[in-house]
Amino acid sequence: MSIRRAPLFISEKNGEVICNLCPGGCNIKSGCFGACGVRGNKNGAGIIPFYGFITALADDPVEKKPLYHFKPGSRILSLGFAGCNMRCPFCQNWHISQNTDISGRWMKPGEIISAALKYNTPSIAYTYSEPLVHIEYLLDCMVLARQNGIANVLVTNGCINKDAAAKILALADAANVDLKSFSQETYKKILCGDLNTVQEFIKLGHEMGVRLEITTLVVPGLNDSSDEINAACGFIASVNSGIPWHLTAYHPDYRWNAPPTNRNFLLDAAKEARKALKNVHTGNI
């Protein structure tokens, strides 16, 4: 696959590339990549050498995303990618999100649409690792999907700047957004993300009519305090109390070894959240 220039959210100056896709604002020197590992600099030009590199292709039930209130009972074609702009130490898909030296296949946008039509899936999910760091490829796929009557679904950390968010959400029919914590300090120091940016992504998605569902992986000792869970619940309710919230159980993975989330704790947290939200679901239990 030939290396492509990065046409979006990239500025080039004095041999360096500045990526404006997410709040990280990586200043990338020639021969290097940004924190996501997939947006880089070659001789002073922004490049996206992983355009069309697919690490996973699966025919899933839509509930696996998880989406419980968008085309329930249907199948969805799921695309996985490489790389991520965050560094969650408890990542469940770290083998593809924190690594680009992995096996996969190259697929043109038209081939993705052909696969969805072949499997007769009414939707395509951009998922598994962080899809939005491949925004150029997603946009090309999503335009074609719309032209063929196929719905576009994002499964994302939502940590991209407003201009990029508006561009991608305009083509999205549904999204499951990870609200990983409700602490700006946790986002900054542990996850290498930005809570405010994620909140703005969620609010903008709702304003633009995207069918939103939100997932929080409840990690003991990290984001499971009553104050934090209640604050996250309050934020979601302030956007719209009908937005579904998935509280899912963590298990030790990657670089995080806290004990698994207690089942009864998760059920109690969900019961409390239902006082403010209409649709609260538990998962991984």
Side-chain angles (χ1 to χ4, degrees):
M1 179 67 66
S2 60
I3 294 178
R4 293 178 178 238
R5 291 287 298 271
L8 297 176
F9 310 109
I10 288 285
S11 58
E12 302 164 349
K13 185 177 181 181
N14 298 327
E16 294 191 347
V17 164
I18 299 173
C19 182
N20 301 304
L21 178 64
C22 81
C26 293
N27 193 319
I28 310 168
K29 295 182 179 180
S30 183
C32 299
F33 287 89
C36 65
V38 298
R39 303 176 71 80
N41 178 343
K42 184 177 181 180
N43 300 326
I47 58 169
I48 44 173
F50 292 92
Y51 179 97
F53 183 67
I54 304 301
T55 59
L57 186 69
D59 176 8
D60 289 330
V62 71
E63 287 82 5
K64 189 178 178 180
K65 297 304 95 192
L67 286 174
Y68 286 7
H69 301 265
F70 179 76
K71 298 184 183 296
S74 68
R75 308 295 295 183
I76 191 165
L77 184 70
S78 298
L79 307 185
F81 301 89
C84 183
N85 57 340
M86 292 178 63
R87 292 290 177 270
C88 304
F90 46 79
C91 181
Q92 312 285 289
N93 289 317
W94 61 270
H95 56 291
I96 57 173
S97 71
Q98 306 302 314
N99 187 18
T100 56
D101 185 20
I102 50 180
S103 61
R105 69 183 91 174
W106 299 97
M107 297 184 72
K108 297 177 181 178
E111 293 176 307
I112 300 300
I113 305 308
S114 295
L117 294 172
K118 175 184 176 181
Y119 291 113
N120 197 30
T121 54
S123 312
I124 296 173
Y126 310 91
T127 181
Y128 297 139
S129 64
E130 179 47 53
L132 296 186
V133 296
H134 302 274
I135 190 168
E136 291 86 356
Y137 182 72
L138 264 61
L139 290 171
D140 290 346
C141 289
M142 293 168 82
V143 168
L144 285 179
R146 280 276 175 95
Q147 291 172 356
N148 285 272
I150 300 169
N152 291 305
V153 173
L154 300 171
V155 181
T156 175
N157 61 32
C159 198
I160 61 168
N161 292 329
K162 191 170 184 178
D163 288 347
K167 199 170 186 69
I168 200 80
L169 288 169
L171 289 167
D173 297 284
N176 188 297
V177 184
D178 282 329
L179 185 60
K180 296 175 181 289
S181 166
F182 211 72
S183 162
Q184 178 72 322
E185 183 178 12
T186 298
Y187 258 92
K188 285 289 187 184
K189 293 185 177 180
I190 297 177
L191 311 180
C192 300
D194 183 77
L195 173 59
N196 293 333
T197 301
V198 178
Q199 289 178 272
E200 291 304 312
F201 185 91
I202 290 169
K203 290 190 285 187
L204 182 61
H206 176 66
E207 291 169 7
M208 295 180 69
V210 178
R211 294 286 296 275
L212 292 176
E213 301 193 24
I214 295 172
T215 294
T216 299
L217 184 71
V218 179
V219 183
L222 179 79
N223 63 356
D224 64 337
S225 71
S226 296
D227 287 347
E228 187 166 334
I229 291 176
N230 290 339
C233 180
F235 163 70
I236 297 168
S238 74
V239 178
N240 189 294
S241 62
I243 295 175
W245 191 21
H246 300 263
L247 292 170
T248 60
Y250 145 94
H251 61 79
D253 211 338
Y254 193 36
R255 297 175 176 173
W256 203 262
N257 294 311
T261 311
N262 180 277
R263 179 181 185 275
N264 290 333
F265 174 85
L266 200 68
L267 293 172
D268 288 344
K271 182 179 179 180
E272 183 68 21
R274 291 187 185 106
K275 296 177 181 178
L277 300 174
K278 298 175 183 177
N279 300 294
V280 181
H281 307 282
T282 55
N284 286 353
I285 59 171

